Amino acid sequence: MLSQRAMNSFVGLFVLTAILGLIILAFKVSGLTSFLKPAGYDISAAFEDIGSLKVRSPVKIGGVVVGEVSTIKLDPTSFKAVVIMHIDSHYRDIPDDSSISILTAGLLGDNYLAINPMYNQTYLKNGSEIQDTHPAMILEKLIGQLIYKLSNPAAPNTATASTTKTSETNNANHE
């Protein structure tokens, strides 16, 4: 039979192991496991509107996570949001003419960046900037535009008005 002292030692060791396991689990769930920056390179892109994009949001190509957002800042001259992304070193062959979009995971999910590779044979490297950017579609803005158009049916659409005038002119010329 184990002595009281040995039993207390085993219980203490079990409690310490459980606490250590919970700490590791908390770091894994929160995404704070990487205290050091993983190997890779940084690229940037400037957007008119980033919606609710956050630091540590994923960067994906074809649905595969290739990196994450490391910094978001405002350019003081153009007043655009500059997003700096850290791309994993495994993905070095991303063409430099690629485009990047801010998309939403599901209808009301978090935003993420989606890189759409193009066809250049030169690739993004540390410090590169993606020029072709597509801002986030903000659901509130889209609903506001829809409500405005529904509440103002008398306001003519400029494309429809010019087409109607052209048709009337052509009909008058033929008569």
Side-chain angles (χ1 to χ4, degrees):
M1 189 95 199
L2 292 175
S3 69
Q4 186 66 25
R5 186 176 184 145
M7 183 64 79
N8 288 343
S9 297
F10 282 130
V11 170
L13 185 62
F14 177 76
V15 169
L16 284 176
T17 305
I19 290 172
L20 182 64
L22 288 174
I23 290 171
I24 291 172
L25 180 65
F27 276 112
K28 285 282 189 189
V29 169
S30 69
L32 296 175
T33 55
S34 57
F35 295 111
L36 300 174
K37 200 174 198 179
Y41 57 100
D42 292 335
I43 59 173
S44 65
F47 293 93
E48 293 288 331
D49 192 346
I50 61 167
S52 62
L53 187 73
K54 297 175 182 64
V55 172
R56 291 188 18 235
S57 293
V59 178
K60 299 180 180 182
I61 296 178
V64 176
V65 176
V66 297
E68 69 178 20
V69 174
S70 59
T71 308
I72 300 173
K73 60 186 176 180
L74 183 67
D75 182 3
T77 56
S78 68
F79 296 105
K80 289 185 177 184
V82 177
V83 178
I84 299 172
M85 299 149 275
H86 185 74
I87 306 298
D88 189 23
S89 62
H90 292 97
Y91 307 103
R92 290 226 173 257
D93 295 338
I94 302 172
D96 64 357
D97 63 341
S98 298
S99 67
I100 189 163
S101 306
I102 300 176
L103 301 178
T104 305
L107 185 60
L108 298 173
D110 287 336
N111 286 1
Y112 66 93
L113 291 170
I115 297 176
N116 302 309
M118 298 310 261
Y119 307 105
N120 259 0
Q121 295 299 317
T122 55
Y123 303 112
L124 294 171
K125 58 184 181 290
N126 194 34
S128 295
E129 181 178 1
I130 297 178
Q131 299 295 322
D132 187 10
T133 62
H134 304 279
M137 289 197 323
I138 310 300
L139 187 60
E140 293 86 3
K141 285 184 182 179
L142 294 175
I143 292 172
Q145 290 172 354
L146 176 66
I147 291 172
Y148 177 76
K149 287 188 181 197
L150 292 176
S151 66
N152 295 327
N157 188 349
T158 56
T160 307
S162 65
T163 305
T164 306
K165 288 180 184 177
T166 304
S167 298
E168 290 172 358
T169 306
N170 288 342
N171 288 339
N173 290 340
H174 290 294
E175 293 177 356

